[in-house]
Amino acid sequence: MSGLNGARVVVTGGAGFIGSHVVDAALAAGAQSVAVVDTFFLGHEENLAAARARHGDAVKVYREDAGDLGAMTAICREQRPDIAFNLATKALLYSFFNPIGAFEVNVSIAAALSELLRHGALPKLVHLSSSEVYGTAQQVSMGEDHPLLAETSYAAGKAAADLLLMSYVNMYDLDVVTVRPFNNYGPRQNDGAFAAIVPLTIKRLLEGDAPVIEGDGRQTRDFFYVQDTVAAILALATTGAARGRTLNVGSGRETAIREVVETLCDIAGYSGEIVEAPARPADVRRHRADVTQAEALLGTVSRIGLREGLERTYSWHRSDFAA
Ligand SMILES: NC(=O)c1ccc[n+]([C@@H]2O[C@H](COP(=O)([O-])OP(=O)(O)OC[C@H]3O[C@@H](n4cnc5c(N)ncnc54)[C@H](O)[C@@H]3O)[C@@H](O)[C@H]2O)c1
């Protein structure tokens, strides 16, 4: 397969935040069809509205569990995919509600995909891992060889999924690329249950509530705009040199949570109180990606600066809020 032109694509978690942008980008790159496999745990039909409007029957949605090998086998038989992108997961904060469920969902999906690859039902997989597998930075910046020190059961499930897939690659010489994005933000990120800091803060500002910072706000993340992530994922999917590798994608910059919240307040024209709440348990303290390996293959991966990305994200939520 060269590029995604004419490709038959499966996207697990394709009705979610990053997954729906992968759907759009794959279709824009000329994919012949995109099959979304999503339980709609946090996915939304609206996230696929633009793709459906522009590409009609080329978009097919299966409301199935990507960890159900029977369902996935049937989907692959029907779709005959050239490639799958695995983005299905339950949000990190779900770990605190159902720790074992958060772990198992990641592992069961990786297991089903591993078996599909082994049996040739799926020729290629781009698997989304997460920077969360590293836990708090032992060294900054964090390369792919950073130890796996998962601090939540979500992260433990992501790390276990990565290891399972890698073992299948070693045993059966399969075509798998593992991508570890750092903190994503942008349009369509869930602002309801289990929401992350950017959509949560924007929602509070739009609803006239004071933003909240958990802990001292000095905990850092590497914030990466979703369009940059998706561009990197698609480029890695179509670069033979990424086969069998695990690659970080992020901005390479470290930003404190307080700075993100204050920037959003500034964008919203809010000068009121910022509420301080107790620190979240098992909250990663520092994160900054080392993206040397991805950039050696792709060139610069971070194109949208934080302020610009937050402005775009705020304005998307504002239009969505007004609709
Ligand atoms: N958002 C980030 O900052 C970030 C950072 C690093 C890695 N990632 C990874 O990127 C991927 C996408 O994350 P996101 O932020 O878009 O999350 P999201 O919650 O918006 O999307 C995940 C989607 O998976 C679906 N889903 C859950 N369980 C499923 C199952 N068993 N079968 C099929 N679908 C299922 C959900 O309904 C949802 O639509 C995940 O693998 C996540 O670990 C995200």
Side-chain angles (χ1 to χ4, degrees), residues 12-20 37-44 47 62 64-68 86-91 105-106 108-109 127-132 154 158 179-185 188-190 196 224 226 229 233:
T12 74
F17 163 45
I18 306 175
S20 64
V37 183
D38 202 301
T39 54
F40 288 80
F41 171 72
L42 279 186
H44 296 287
N47 290 345
Y62 295 89
E64 295 285 354
D65 176 353
D68 176 342
N86 176 32
L87 291 97
T89 196
K90 286 181 168 167
V105 70
N106 291 318
S108 68
I109 294 167
H127 163 66
L128 262 77
S129 174
S130 168
S131 57
E132 289 291 327
Y154 162 87
K158 297 296 284 187
V179 184
R180 290 203 177 125
F182 280 60
N183 267 64
N184 269 242
Y185 68 100
R188 300 185 191 154
Q189 190 166 18
N190 161 50
F224 198 44
V226 67
T229 300
I233 292 171

Side-chain angles (χ1 to χ4, degrees), residues 20-99:
S20 64
H21 290 285
V22 170
V23 170
D24 290 344
L27 289 163
Q32 181 192 135
S33 63
V34 175
V36 168
V37 183
D38 202 301
T39 54
F40 288 80
F41 171 72
L42 279 186
H44 296 287
E45 270 290 346
E46 305 90 275
N47 290 345
L48 298 168
R52 282 185 189 280
R54 194 164 307 156
H55 300 277
D57 290 347
V59 181
K60 170 135 191 173
V61 176
Y62 295 89
R63 286 184 175 252
E64 295 285 354
D65 176 353
D68 176 342
L69 181 57
M72 290 300 287
T73 302
I75 290 166
C76 286
R77 201 176 296 131
E78 205 163 275
Q79 290 293 320
R80 291 173 287 104
D82 298 300
I83 184 166
F85 293 86
N86 176 32
L87 291 97
T89 196
K90 286 181 168 167
L92 182 151
L93 290 176
Y94 182 74
S95 302
F96 295 94
F97 171 70
N98 176 5

Side-chain angles (χ1 to χ4, degrees), residues 14 22 55 78 90 115 163 167 203 227 236 275 279 298 302:
V22 170
H55 300 277
E78 205 163 275
K90 286 181 168 167
E115 282 294 292
L163 290 172
S167 71
K203 188 174 188 205
Q227 240 87 50
L236 290 171
V275 174
L298 309 177
S302 180

